[in-house]
Amino acid sequence: MNSELFRLCEHQRVNVSWSHDTRQAVLDAATAWQEAHGLSQPPLSFEGLDGTLLRAQQHVGVIEAGGVCVEIYPKLDAGLVKDGQVTDQRAATVMKNLLWLLEESGHEGLIDAGEAEVEESPDSICDLLAWLFARRLRHQLGMGLAQEYIGMRDDLPLVRGRIDFARQSTVHFGRPDVIACSWDEFTPDTPLARLLRCAAEVLLDRVLLPGAAADLRDALAMFDEVESLLPHQAVAAARSIRWSRLNARWRPCHDLALAVLTGQGREMHAGSSGSFVFLIDMNRLFEDYCLRWLEKTFHQRIEPQKRLGTLLVAPDKRIAQDADFFWLTPNETWVGDAKYKIPDAENWPRIDDLRQLICYGQLAQRLHTGKLSRLMILHPTTTKEEEELMETYDGQTLRIQGVRVIRDFG
C-alpha cells in the first residue's frame, strides 16, 4: 500500500503535521489493538494542547492507518537514541539485531534457530512480518498442502452422498426434480487454507522485499483452489478448525496468520484493510531473551513467573508475588527480575524495583529454609556485559547484570 512512512523509536515523542482525521485513524487502530490484547494503554497516543505530539510506548512494530505507516523501532540502538533519526541504513542494522534477538529468545516461536542467517534480510517491520510468514508457509507447503474432509450441502438433480430428508420434506416438498444432498468432500479448500491464503494476500499487498514477495506469490499459486475471503471472514471461519496430529505442523503458520489478520483493526470487521497493526512487546521479548541467557549462564532449568507467595494472608486479597525468574543452586536460591530499561546514573537501580526484588528474596527464603537468597536485576546493554555486586539491608546479595542485546555482525 502507498502510505507515508514515519519512523520513531520506543518511548519517543515526535511532533507530526498530520490532519485530525489521520491522527484519529492512527489512534483508532492503536486503540483497537490495545483492546484486543487487554492492555491498559494504547501503543501509540497523541499528546499536547493541539494533539500533534505522537508518543510511542514499549512496543516495536508497525501501525498503518489514515494514509500513514508508523514504524516503531527498538530504543536500544545508540544512533537512534542519540538523535532520533531512523535512516534506511540504521533501520537495516536495527532489523538485523531484532531478528537475532527474536531468534535467540525464541519469542513466540517467530524465528527458528538459524533462520536469521540469510543473505536477504528485511529492513522494515512490514517486510519482517512478510518474511517470517513466507518462510514458514514455504516450508510447510513444500511437504504438501493440507487437505481434509469437509461437510458439503447442496440441492442437486441427482443423489450425491446422503439425502437430507428434513430439508427435502420441507423446502422441496412435492419437487422430485430437486434433491437435498449432504456429503463429505476431500478438499484443500479448508478454513485453515482460507486463513493462510488471506494472510498471504494481505502481506503481499505491503511487502517490498523481493524474496518474500516471490514466496508469497508462489504460495498463492498453490492456494488456487482455495476460496479467497475477507480478513474478518477468514478469522471467523478459523474458529472451526479441527486440530489433530495430521495438521499440527501448520500451527505456527496459523498463529502468525491470525496475528496478521487480527491486526487489521476495526476496519477488518467492515471488510476493509485500511488499517494494519503488528507489534512486539519489547518487555516480554527481553524477558524471553533473559530466560535463555540465564539457562546458558547457569546451565540449568530456570522457572519463569514463579509464584513465591503472597503479601497478605487474608483469604480475599492475598496479592500474589510472581518473580520473573527463579532457580536453585546447592546452597542458594536465586530470584531474577528483567528490567527493559537503559540505566541512568541518577536513578538506578530504581527504588520500587529494589523493594520488589528484596520482598521476592525474603519469600524465597521462607520456601527454602537454610538456603541463602541471592537477587539479580537483568538490564539490556549494547556494550560489554558487566556485573555489579551490592548488598541489601537484610544481607541479601544483589547482582546488577547487563545483558548484551546487540549482536556483533562484523
Side-chain angles (χ1 to χ4, degrees):
M1 297 182 68
N2 295 321
S3 299
E4 175 190 350
L5 180 61
F6 188 87
R7 292 165 168 166
L8 74 164
C9 302
E10 301 171 86
H11 301 291
Q12 189 177 359
R13 294 181 176 88
V14 181
N15 278 302
V16 296
S17 57
W18 303 335
S19 67
H20 175 270
D21 290 343
T22 297
R23 298 198 305 273
Q24 189 62 50
V26 172
L27 183 59
D28 286 346
T31 303
W33 194 87
Q34 169 203 355
E35 294 172 352
H37 292 78
L39 302 180
S40 59
Q41 57 185 345
L44 278 181
S45 59
F46 291 92
E47 302 175 347
L49 295 177
D50 54 357
T52 59
L53 186 62
L54 179 65
R55 178 183 179 183
Q57 300 297 334
Q58 80 278 2
H59 293 86
V60 167
V62 60
I63 297 180
E64 185 173 353
V68 297
C69 179
V70 182
E71 290 194 341
I72 310 167
Y73 289 83
K75 65 185 179 183
L76 298 174
D77 181 271
L80 300 183
V81 174
K82 181 179 179 181
D83 55 25
Q85 297 300 313
V86 188
T87 64
D88 289 342
Q89 182 178 3
R90 287 178 175 177
T93 301
V94 172
M95 292 308 300
K96 287 183 179 180
N97 284 323
L98 182 59
L99 278 171
W100 175 75
L101 199 60
L102 288 169
E103 179 186 26
E104 289 293 308
S105 66
H107 180 67
E108 296 185 353
L110 287 177
I111 299 183
D112 295 328
E115 283 195 341
E117 295 290 345
V118 294
E119 294 181 1
E120 182 189 48
S121 59
D123 58 5
S124 72
I125 302 296
C126 282
D127 281 351
L128 168 65
L129 184 56
W131 179 83
L132 291 173
F133 185 72
R135 287 177 65 85
R136 280 188 179 177
L137 196 57
R138 182 183 64 182
H139 175 70
Q140 295 301 331
L141 287 174
M143 294 185 286
L145 188 62
Q147 301 186 61
E148 62 180 272
Y149 284 100
I150 301 295
M152 310 290 288
R153 298 177 61 188
D154 201 357
D155 301 327
L156 306 173
L158 298 174
V159 176
R160 181 176 184 182
R162 303 172 298 278
I163 298 177
D164 186 345
F165 287 102
R167 180 175 174 81
Q168 186 69 37
S169 61
T170 54
V171 178
H172 301 310
F173 179 77
R175 291 196 59 185
D177 59 319
V178 177
I179 304 174
C181 302
S182 61
W183 69 97
D184 294 331
E185 184 171 325
F186 193 63
T187 175
D189 191 13
T190 64
L192 174 59
R194 293 176 181 180
L195 179 78
L196 299 177
R197 172 170 180 161
C198 186
E201 290 172 340
V202 168
L203 291 173
L204 185 58
D205 190 39
R206 289 173 166 82
V207 66
L208 297 177
L209 197 65
D215 287 342
L216 291 172
R217 283 190 290 267
D218 290 343
L220 288 175
M222 297 186 68
F223 286 129
D224 185 55
E225 299 181 40
V226 177
E227 183 181 357
S228 177
L229 300 180
L230 293 172
H232 73 284
Q233 295 173 325
V235 171
R239 301 188 184 101
S240 66
I241 295 175
R242 295 170 295 181
W243 292 103
S244 68
R245 60 182 181 83
L246 299 177
N247 62 357
R249 65 184 177 92
W250 291 94
R251 193 77 192 210
C253 288
H254 163 273
D255 294 345
L256 194 52
L258 276 182
V260 171
L261 297 181
T262 54
Q264 294 291 292
R266 289 194 174 99
E267 284 83 355
M268 183 188 77
H269 305 288
S272 168
S273 58
S275 69
F276 178 77
V277 182
F278 179 76
L279 298 169
I280 298 172
D281 188 332
M282 292 300 291
N283 286 339
R284 290 182 54 198
L285 173 57
F286 183 63
E287 285 184 12
D288 290 343
Y289 180 73
C290 287
L291 177 61
R292 296 291 181 91
W293 186 91
L294 288 170
E295 289 174 342
K296 292 179 180 179
T297 302
F298 287 86
H299 305 288
Q300 67 179 74
R301 178 179 175 271
I302 308 296
E303 294 186 63
Q305 299 302 315
K306 170 71 172 179
R307 177 67 53 85
L308 298 175
T310 62
L311 293 182
L312 302 176
V313 296
D316 54 341
K317 295 182 179 180
R318 292 178 177 270
I319 311 181
Q321 298 297 290
D322 300 328
D324 287 346
F325 314 109
F326 178 79
W327 67 102
L328 295 172
T329 60
N331 300 314
E332 299 165 328
T333 65
W334 281 85
V335 179
D337 198 18
K339 296 299 179 184
Y340 181 63
K341 301 170 184 176
I342 300 176
D344 61 85
E346 297 181 358
N347 189 26
W348 182 257
R350 295 182 57 180
I351 295 177
D352 291 345
D353 296 339
L354 288 176
R355 287 172 176 163
Q356 181 185 52
L357 198 54
I358 290 171
C359 177
Y360 287 164
Q362 292 175 350
L363 290 172
Q365 284 182 313
R366 294 184 63 181
L367 286 177
H368 300 275
T369 305
K371 288 181 178 287
L372 298 176
S373 176
R374 301 199 65 176
L375 313 175
M376 182 184 295
I377 293 180
L378 301 99
H379 66 87
T381 180
T382 58
T383 57
K384 182 180 178 181
E385 291 186 347
E386 296 180 339
E387 66 176 58
E388 182 180 2
L389 296 179
M390 303 178 183
E391 185 176 344
T392 66
Y393 77 93
D394 58 349
Q396 299 185 74
T397 300
L398 172 64
R399 175 174 167 182
I400 308 295
Q401 177 67 56
V403 178
R404 183 174 171 83
V405 293
I406 299 295
R407 181 180 182 179
D408 184 4
F409 289 94

